[in-house]
Amino acid sequence: MTRKQKRLSLILGGLAVLGLAAGLVLYALSGAITFFHTPSDLADTHVQVGQRIRLGGMVEQGSVTKGPGTVTSFAVTDTLKTVTVSYDGILPDLFREGQGVVTEGKMQPDGSFVADTVLAKHDENYMPRELAESLKAKGVTLGKIADEGTPQ
Amino acid sequence: MNSIAEIGHFALILAVGVALYQFAVPLMGAQRGDVAAMRAGISAALLQFVLIAISFAALTHAYVISDFSVLNVVENSHSAKPLLYRISGVWGNHEGSMLLWVLILALYGAAVAVFGGNLPLELRARVLAIQGSVGFAFLLFIVLASNPFIRVDPPPIEGNGLNPILQDPALAFHPPFLYAGYVGLSIAFAFAVAALIEGRVDAAWARWVRPWTLVAWMFLTVGIAMGSWWAYYELGWGGWWFWDPVENASFMPWLVATALIHSAIVVEKRNALKIWTVLLSILAFSLSLMGAFLVRSGVLTSVHAFAVDPQRGAFILMILCVFIGGSLSLFAWRAPQLKAGGLFAPVSREGSLVVNNLLLCVACLAVFVGTLYPLALETLTGEKISVGAPYFDLTFGPIILPLLLLVPFGAFLGWKRGDVGLALKRLWLALALALLVGVIVLALNVRGPWLAPVGMAIAAWLVFGAIADVAAKTGLFKAPLATSWQRLAGLPRSALGTAVAHAGLGILVAGVIAISLWRIEVIVALKPGETAAVGKYAVTFQGEGPLTGPNYTGRTGAFLLKQGDRELATLHSEKRIFKPSGMPTTEVGLYQTWHGDVYVVMGDETTGGARAMRMYYNPLVNFIWFGAAVMFLGGLLSISDRRYRVGAPRRAAGMQAAPAE
Amino acid sequence: MIWIVFAAMTAAVIGALLWPAVTSRPAETRAERAAYDRAVFRDQLAELERDVARGVIGQAEADAARNEISRRLIAAAGEVRAKTAPGFASAAIAATLIVPAVALPLYLMAGNPLLPDVPHAWRMENAENNGDMPALIQKVEQHLEKEPDDLQGWQILAPLYRRDQRWDDAAEAYRNILRLQPPDAANISDYAEARVMANQGMVAAPAQALFRQALKLDPTFPKARFYDALALKQQGKADEARAAFEAFLKDTPADAPWRPMLLAEMQDMSAKPPALDQQTMADASQMSGADQQAMIRGMVDGLEQKLAANPDNLEGWLRLIRARAVLGEAGKAKAAYDRAKGQFASNPDALSQIDGLAKEMNVE
């Protein structure tokens, strides 16, 4: 093989690997991603039952109930709509009423949400970025949420 | 009375000027062939280090004496905090961590200045100038946008305290290691840009780039491993890697740095792949700068980001554009002038290293896409998504698997033209042992996932392959044992280092496979006196009591761990509430053995006087960090190789006569 | 003083930067560029020989490598010498001025040259000499953390908190004083007043009960009389409040310091229907008192409706009981309490919480 041929084969081999990888990435991106929604998004977008999504919002004041066993249920709200979430497991340390939370799981036929993952930020004044933006887009000011226990 | 804080501030600002000098004068000197101007870079680099060290010491002093007239101390410290965490608090926040970043940058610059005697003077001058320019940009950023020396008058009497989740020994030292890794890549970057300016890659160039990249790679390895260890036992989620954007931000430079230390061997030994190596050097540092941007700017949501500030993000983005854009443009312009080097057949040591580079870079690309795709999609369509572990398992896994299979082969292929048959002949025993491991796992794990036997066989293949490598080089089993021992002692350390690092990789893979496939998770509500089974262990909740620490209070739960009738240990899991923020954290109860950990987390109270508990048996989990430590050791062996101590030309004759170690 | 240090630092930096100019002799030359390459190649050759001697690589491989390195060694010998310019360019010397030129404006912009360091320990040690109030407070706090039964400490601390309007802390301090002293009208009223202030000027039922207790011990105690009347006013019992204020005014000497405040309250009552007091209005928001009152009541009513629709919400019930009690709506508080007890009859945990709250809020 001449130098040119060698280089060509090298480049072709590289491109082949790159192509395979690109295919893999595209395939994974079509299947293995989760969409983020706020409770009021859910009403608009009609997420299918059983589809894996992330649901973000604030934990509504006074909505956390414990039991039975290790199950906790609480309401996630973006001040416009509220979704009841149940989660079997241990909540993160910073999970609190009135604080931001992101849950990952599936919608149930009855309109409730079963989460298998609950994330709360390592920051006392955390508001999920996606939520802050969604709310701003809907014209909700954040001060409203910060007020303690404002029943709507 | 002189203020130490102000002296530190002034030293920092002087360093801005010195960095500008370090950039401009040596570069001009190298262009004009002015020896003294080139040497000026050396004193400037040393001086920059001294000034930033003074500044860093002054800030540390302010933390140690709890000087709450410094805003940064007020925001991140508390007089009741233990001394260790007052000190680690210096870099446990944005401003201080940036100061640590430039301190390490200046340390690397000073190292080039001091140990660069065997580099051509022009090259050294240009490298220092590029280092100076990076330092200048970040020092200016610190002084203007994130100054740790802003004062408060009148000072408050008490500080707000460090985020308690950072009050942990592993995390106290995780950032310095990680930064030493990130910033170490700036040396490779500076060498690459200097080579592009000169239009030539010296023989000495590769000898320098490889050890310095290796240093950076070692620190990155330890830094990432420490971060993962911290996440494992401090976050209380039982996981060790979350494919979180911040983790990815450190993992991408690691992947490219790994490619770079392999391609630099080819440049050094065979004078080939020069252009590619220059490009990799630029990419590695670009990714580490991007990591800084991603973490600092908060454009990506992450579980462990610092407080975010869009203005700072914009500043860093600007720095990013200048350095990445500038260096890539320079590359496009000058790279064609670099002379291509030696030839090699596709099946050869070089060829295998090219495959290694290709796969590592493609793997990095997959991580890159997964990390930035949500951001891109949101900017373009406004749709919000998250890309989690399933994506990375689907892409990163299949890309990296063939690489793991090829690793032992590569070491047995000759330079220029390799012989697959010969390599296989030397490797048959390792291959047979690896297959045996696979078969055993298959037999023990009949209904388990198919990946288990394959993964374990690959892990064994890596370890046995590394052993076979050393055995072949020392003639083990063929020559008398004494001869083999002698040969082992005489083996170039870099060859030994390679084998050790590859074995470490195998150990790490074994840990990853085991914990991904065989972990046992138990979530249960327990009242005092009740017992839960975790695999072959029984964990009894004995009850809880109050807890008082230096700056926290809380509850501690006691758990009796039994295997059969044998009492193994009493574990304690704590829920701490920190003063003054009232922030809660959880401490994990951990029982560690070589074959796995029992991991107990006490959760919140539930109904009927019980507490929710989360327990794991994490099989082989410590193999992950042990593997990383072995990889570090491999790097250490490699770097101690005498080859990297080539003398300056004038002393070259003496070096040649020196006896072999 | 500090400018001398800064000047010395700057001078040292410039001196260090000029050092190469001082030490480099004009005649100094450097090794030619290719010599560095040759050094590396020679070293590679030596390493190759060592490998051969150890038998790490085969003869054929070694020969090929030796050939290649030698070829590169010869190629490196043929390179031209780099040009060398003599001396340290004056431009480089002038460039040292970059340092002060950059540093001075930056420092003048960002620095605070005259502020001294303030070590925490030093500040605590010299708190008395400097009359450093925050430090003194912290000293007493630290002392009380160790000896929480030191009455004198709480007596020092309470008025200091009051002065800084740290009402929650003040209430805690007065509570401790009350714990360590036999109760009298003064210390009960002080504690109750701090709670009122912490509650944004609203006299909640428990605070009012405390004032009543103080009046039992000393029916003429001015502070207790004032707040008791204020409580009536806030509860919308205008006539009772007016009567109480007027009786109090009669007993108030013309030079009493609280007289203006009392008159203001009375004038406020005659001017408007009963509303929140001035303090609350100033503290809470720019809303008018009536609006605010209406808002609070609206919120609580909303909560009650929600609970009627979805009664399985312990937190909600607790909040409702508390809110009704704070608003002084004793009857409604009692009603909420009874309904909550009915709702959670089978849940002893919840019952004990409800009872605890009822006791705290004096809901019978």
Side-chain angles (χ1 to χ4, degrees):
Chain A
M1 272 198 282
T2 65
R3 190 189 189 104
K4 234 179 197 158
Q5 278 172 325
K6 272 182 189 167
R7 183 167 289 182
L8 197 68
S9 66
L10 207 68
I11 289 173
L12 283 180
L15 283 179
V17 172
L18 207 63
L20 276 177
L24 209 56
V25 164
L26 287 177
Y27 170 68
L29 279 182
S30 66
I33 55 171
T34 44
F35 285 84
F36 178 93
H37 294 286
T38 60
S40 38
D41 279 351
L42 277 182
D44 302 340
T45 50
H46 303 294
V47 171
Q48 281 167 9
V49 169
Q51 186 190 339
R52 203 176 161 73
I53 59 160
R54 280 191 166 197
L55 175 71
M58 311 304 269
V59 182
E60 198 174 7
Q61 288 286 341
S63 70
V64 178
T65 48
K66 301 272 181 181
T70 51
V71 176
T72 306
S73 63
F74 50 93
V76 169
T77 178
D78 57 3
T79 73
L80 302 172
K81 288 265 168 52
T82 300
V83 173
T84 308
V85 177
S86 73
Y87 169 67
D88 186 0
I90 295 194
L91 293 163
D93 288 327
L94 286 178
F95 177 90
R96 272 181 220 162
E97 291 186 353
Q99 294 284 315
V101 69
V102 174
T103 64
E104 195 168 327
K106 292 170 183 165
M107 287 303 293
Q108 302 301 305
D110 65 354
S112 68
F113 188 80
V114 173
D116 51 36
T117 309
V118 172
L119 302 171
K121 184 84 165 189
H122 297 163
D123 185 326
E124 289 156 80
N125 304 311
Y126 172 60
M127 154 88 89
R129 185 180 57 89
E130 294 95 334
L131 179 67
E133 280 164 15
S134 307
L135 289 183
K136 222 156 62 192
K138 294 194 175 76
V140 178
T141 52
L142 301 182
K144 240 182 182 170
I145 307 169
D147 278 350
E148 211 205 321
T150 312
Q152 291 292 311
Chain B
M1 197 170 76
N2 285 327
S3 159
I4 291 176
E6 288 304 317
I7 290 175
H9 194 181
F10 192 70
L12 179 69
I13 285 175
L14 278 176
V16 179
V18 172
L20 191 57
Y21 183 88
Q22 185 187 332
F23 166 61
V25 173
L27 201 60
M28 181 195 76
Q31 229 52 38
R32 295 182 59 242
D34 181 336
V35 176
M38 284 190 262
R39 283 198 187 288
I42 298 167
S43 48
L46 290 173
L47 201 56
Q48 200 195 334
F49 174 65
V50 169
L51 286 170
I52 297 176
I54 290 174
S55 179
F56 192 80
L59 186 63
T60 309
H61 174 257
Y63 267 86
V64 169
I65 64 166
S66 292
D67 182 349
F68 295 120
S69 70
V70 178
L71 182 62
N72 193 245
V73 183
V74 177
E75 285 174 346
N76 302 293
S77 193
H78 190 279
S79 64
K81 219 163 58 165
L83 181 64
L84 172 68
Y85 300 115
R86 287 217 296 279
I87 294 173
S88 69
V90 175
W91 57 79
N93 63 85
H94 170 77
E95 290 84 357
S97 70
M98 290 312 293
L99 191 59
L100 179 68
W101 202 95
V102 291
L103 177 71
I104 295 173
L105 183 76
L107 179 63
Y108 277 110
V112 173
V114 171
F115 300 117
N118 52 359
L119 284 175
L121 199 52
E122 290 97 332
L123 182 61
R124 175 154 58 153
R126 289 190 171 110
V127 167
L128 288 174
I130 303 304
Q131 280 268 310
S133 70
V134 177
F136 173 70
F138 277 91
L139 283 166
L140 201 62
F141 167 70
I142 291 174
V143 171
L144 294 180
S146 66
N147 194 326
F149 289 105
I150 292 174
R151 306 291 296 275
V152 196
D153 186 29
I157 188 67
E158 196 49 86
N160 303 340
L162 174 77
N163 184 342
I165 206 150
L166 306 179
Q167 182 164 330
D168 177 273
L171 205 64
F173 297 104
H174 158 65
F177 276 101
L178 203 55
Y179 286 10
Y182 277 148
V183 179
L185 294 175
S186 72
I187 299 270
F189 174 80
F191 269 86
V193 174
L196 288 173
I197 293 174
E198 295 185 338
R200 58 180 287 168
V201 175
D202 287 316
W205 189 91
R207 285 227 160 182
W208 263 81
V209 167
R210 190 171 128 79
W212 285 102
T213 311
L214 202 53
V215 169
W217 176 87
M218 283 159 59
F219 281 124
L220 262 181
T221 307
V222 171
I224 294 172
M226 267 177 139
S228 145
W229 165 238
W230 168 80
Y232 172 68
Y233 80 82
E234 181 68 31
L235 292 185
W237 302 341
W240 61 280
W241 189 261
F242 299 96
W243 292 110
D244 178 275
V246 170
E247 291 171 341
N248 294 348
S250 63
F251 191 46
M252 288 187 276
W254 185 87
L255 288 171
V256 176
T258 309
L260 184 55
I261 53 182
H262 287 92
S263 80
I265 303 176
V266 183
V267 183
E268 183 193 337
K269 290 268 189 191
R270 297 277 298 122
N271 201 28
L273 295 185
K274 283 190 283 194
I275 299 176
W276 171 246
T277 304
V278 165
L279 181 62
L280 268 187
S281 307
I282 292 175
L283 286 181
F285 186 58
S286 300
L287 284 170
S288 95
L289 280 182
M290 202 190 69
F293 169 67
L294 290 182
V295 178
R296 301 286 155 220
S297 64
V299 291
L300 293 176
T301 8
S302 154
V303 277
H304 30 141
F306 281 111
V308 295
D309 180 341
Q311 192 205 334
R312 284 174 181 164
F315 203 127
I316 294 189
L317 188 62
M318 232 165 61
I319 296 178
L320 220 67
C321 288
V322 170
F323 283 102
I324 299 178
S327 57
L328 287 179
S329 312
L330 190 66
F331 179 80
W333 175 42
R334 301 282 292 194
Q337 297 183 20
L338 298 178
K339 273 182 267 170
L343 291 171
F344 54 86
V347 179
S348 62
R349 181 78 67 85
E350 294 94 321
S352 71
L353 290 172
V354 168
V355 173
N356 151 302
N357 270 229
L358 191 64
L359 290 173
L360 281 171
C361 289
V362 170
C364 178
L365 196 67
V367 177
F368 184 87
V369 170
T371 310
L372 290 187
Y373 181 63
L375 188 66
L377 190 71
E378 195 183 331
T379 318
L380 294 177
T381 67
E383 194 134 36
K384 296 183 186 65
I385 61 159
S386 70
V387 174
Y391 165 85
F392 294 100
D393 293 345
L394 257 173
T395 55
F396 187 78
I399 295 170
I400 220 70
L401 223 56
L403 177 59
L404 298 178
L405 280 174
L406 284 177
V407 164
F409 271 117
F412 278 95
L413 291 176
W415 291 103
K416 258 179 136 172
R417 181 169 293 112
D419 185 340
V420 181
L422 191 68
L424 270 180
K425 224 166 88 189
R426 288 178 172 175
L427 273 167
W428 73 267
L429 190 62
L431 194 59
L433 286 172
L435 287 174
L436 186 66
V437 167
V439 169
I440 292 173
V441 172
L442 192 63
L444 291 178
N445 188 45
V446 185
R447 280 184 303 277
W450 64 270
L451 196 57
V454 176
M456 282 308 185
I458 288 176
W461 168 233
L462 284 166
V463 174
F464 292 129
I467 294 172
D469 184 16
V470 177
K473 287 201 171 105
T474 55
L476 195 66
F477 308 129
K478 285 183 186 140
L481 212 59
T483 317
S484 294
W485 179 249
Q486 231 169 10
R487 284 186 185 170
L488 182 67
L491 207 61
R493 299 253 185 89
S494 62
L496 201 58
T498 305
V500 169
H502 288 168
L505 180 64
I507 296 170
L508 190 149
V509 168
V512 171
I513 296 283
I515 195 173
S516 314
L517 301 178
W518 297 323
R519 115 178 310 177
I520 299 169
E521 180 175 13
V522 176
I523 293 176
V524 64
L526 290 184
K527 288 179 195 159
E530 289 182 337
T531 301
V534 182
K536 59 188 173 185
Y537 298 97
V539 181
T540 307
F541 180 38
Q542 294 179 308
E544 56 180 88
L547 170 77
T548 321
N551 56 347
Y552 57 85
T553 56
R555 310 284 298 166
T556 172
F559 298 84
L560 182 68
L561 179 68
K562 282 167 100 174
Q563 183 179 9
D565 291 329
R566 210 150 49 90
E567 286 186 14
L568 296 175
T570 304
L571 305 180
H572 294 275
S573 172
E574 299 174 357
K575 290 197 93 63
R576 297 178 176 174
I577 308 280
F578 278 79
K579 290 179 278 189
S581 58
M583 183 163 158
T585 69
T586 301
E587 295 294 310
V588 172
L590 206 54
Y591 177 73
Q592 294 180 295
T593 67
W594 69 268
H595 57 77
D597 289 358
V598 180
Y599 185 107
V600 179
V601 186
M602 184 169 73
D604 295 319
E605 282 162 0
T606 69
T607 46
R611 263 188 190 273
M613 307 290 174
R614 175 152 53 189
M615 302 174 187
Y616 295 103
Y617 175 66
N618 289 325
L620 301 193
V621 66
N622 292 309
F623 277 39
I624 294 172
W625 300 293
F626 179 65
V630 172
M631 286 165 87
F632 177 82
L633 186 72
L636 208 60
L637 275 171
S638 193
I639 215 160
S640 65
D641 196 297
R642 67 178 301 286
R643 280 185 304 141
Y644 296 124
R645 290 178 242 142
V646 182
R650 261 164 276 153
R651 283 178 282 129
M655 283 292 288
Q656 225 177 350
E661 278 168 59
Chain C
M1 198 32 215
I2 195 148
W3 287 105
I4 298 173
V5 177
F6 289 169
M9 286 167 77
T10 313
V13 164
I14 292 178
L17 289 179
L18 287 174
W19 188 249
V22 179
T23 53
S24 86
R25 293 171 297 279
E28 185 185 20
T29 52
R30 64 218 143 97
E32 60 177 313
R33 183 93 194 221
Y36 290 89
D37 280 359
R38 288 201 297 271
V40 173
F41 295 141
R42 277 198 211 99
D43 201 66
Q44 279 182 345
L45 278 176
E47 184 192 332
L48 187 66
E49 296 313 324
R50 277 197 303 276
D51 283 357
V52 172
R54 259 201 310 270
V56 178
I57 53 172
Q59 197 56 47
E61 253 182 322
D63 285 342
R66 196 179 294 119
N67 274 342
E68 188 172 312
I69 297 171
S70 305
R71 241 195 342 266
R72 282 195 259 164
L73 186 58
I74 293 161
E79 284 192 29
V80 242
R81 276 178 85 91
K83 63 170 182 177
T84 306
F88 199 57
S90 53
I93 295 175
T96 54
L97 293 177
I98 291 175
V99 177
V102 168
L104 264 183
L106 270 182
Y107 185 77
L108 287 177
M109 191 189 75
N112 272 305
L114 300 179
L115 277 190
D117 287 339
V118 189
H120 185 257
W122 172 87
R123 201 171 159 187
M124 295 300 273
E125 261 165 46
N126 297 284
E128 286 88 354
N129 302 340
N130 299 341
D132 184 345
M133 262 319 171
L136 283 171
I137 291 178
Q138 200 182 39
K139 275 186 110 161
V140 181
E141 282 170 346
Q142 284 171 356
H143 165 74
L144 285 171
E145 217 162 274
K146 270 178 261 145
E147 288 180 43
D149 291 344
D150 180 9
L151 174 64
Q152 215 187 346
W154 292 114
Q155 281 171 330
I156 294 171
L157 216 45
L160 290 175
Y161 284 145
R162 230 185 107 96
R163 198 199 56 175
D164 293 346
Q165 309 210 336
R166 291 166 63 179
W167 296 114
D168 285 319
D169 292 330
E172 179 61 18
Y174 282 119
R175 192 185 62 76
N176 277 297
I177 292 172
L178 193 56
R179 176 171 64 86
L180 299 168
Q181 248 185 352
D184 60 32
N187 59 23
I188 294 174
S189 300
D190 283 343
Y191 171 47
E193 183 187 33
R195 283 188 63 166
V196 169
M197 298 318 255
N199 196 22
Q200 320 220 309
M202 290 291 285
V203 187
Q208 193 187 10
L210 282 168
F211 287 122
R212 292 260 160 98
Q213 195 190 334
L215 288 173
K216 253 180 227 156
L217 297 173
D218 177 1
T220 64
F221 194 71
K223 188 183 277 178
R225 287 183 79 178
F226 174 76
Y227 279 105
D228 187 35
L230 187 63
L232 294 171
K233 178 185 153 196
Q234 287 173 354
Q235 287 156 15
K237 299 171 182 164
D239 297 335
E240 288 175 58
R242 196 169 291 119
F245 276 130
E246 270 160 17
F248 183 27
L249 185 63
K250 237 190 291 169
D251 300 339
T252 298
D255 59 347
W258 61 84
R259 197 180 166 91
M261 206 163 77
L262 176 58
L263 288 173
E265 283 296 338
M266 292 179 72
Q267 197 177 359
D268 180 54
M269 283 200 69
S270 50
K272 273 193 307 191
L276 296 172
D277 69 313
Q278 303 275 355
Q279 185 69 42
T280 313
M281 292 176 59
D283 278 352
S285 72
Q286 289 123 355
M287 256 187 213
S288 80
D291 281 351
Q292 191 158 25
Q293 188 87 333
M295 184 189 81
I296 292 169
R297 281 181 202 284
M299 269 163 49
V300 178
D301 289 343
L303 177 61
E304 187 159 36
Q305 278 164 22
K306 248 172 76 173
L307 286 172
N310 181 14
D312 191 13
N313 177 351
L314 177 60
E315 264 315 304
W317 285 109
L318 292 177
R319 254 177 37 226
L320 182 65
I321 296 168
R322 183 185 294 275
R324 291 294 186 206
V326 169
L327 289 171
E329 298 169 319
K332 286 186 177 170
K334 173 84 170 77
Y337 167 64
D338 288 338
R339 277 167 62 196
K341 282 194 84 157
Q343 176 68 33
F344 293 98
S346 58
N347 183 343
D349 242 1
L351 281 181
S352 75
Q353 278 191 56
I354 295 169
D355 278 322
L357 178 71
K359 211 162 161 194
E360 186 194 329
M361 304 304 289
N362 289 325
V363 177
E364 272 92 33

